[in-house]
Amino acid sequence: MDEKEKQQKTSLSIVLIVIAATLSSFGQLAWKFGAEGTDTRSIILYIVGFLAAGVGMFFMMAAFRYGEVSILQPMMSLSFALSILLGVLFLNEMITWYKLIGTGLIIVGAIILGIEGNGGRYD
């Protein structure tokens, strides 16, 4: 496999892992909404959450096919950053300096891993 093909596969794996992290976060949000009740709506939200998380796992498995686990698995932590944002937007959770700093570190770490995955080049 030549260098260009390897870089394309790595880029694809990063896109797939970001999709996986996003689906995981939305699944968790659906579970949170479902946990607030016991009616049919809550059951539907649990099912939607499981489906989103399950589809996210398929994207994660596909990403592992094309990229290095040592780069991709830590990038799944982007789901934590997205969960904080979703908590603020949909659950009226407070954002603190600690959350901002922690989220910033997660995002910076993911960017650094993405750069390493592209052979140290940021194109």
Side-chain angles (χ1 to χ4, degrees), residues 3-5 13 16 26 29 31 40 44-46 48-51 59 69 72-73 77 80 95-96 99 104 108 115:
E3 189 62 33
K4 183 176 181 180
E5 185 178 337
S13 70
L16 291 171
F26 278 107
L29 181 65
W31 292 334
T40 304
I44 291 171
L45 285 169
Y46 277 127
V48 168
F50 281 117
L51 288 173
F59 275 95
V69 173
L72 298 174
Q73 186 60 44
S77 64
F80 298 127
I95 190 136
T96 64
K99 289 179 185 177
V108 167
I115 291 170

Side-chain angles (χ1 to χ4, degrees), residues 105-123:
L105 291 171
I106 289 169
I107 292 169
V108 167
I111 290 169
I112 290 169
L113 289 171
I115 291 170
E116 179 185 347
N118 279 329
R121 293 185 309 259
Y122 186 69
D123 298 337

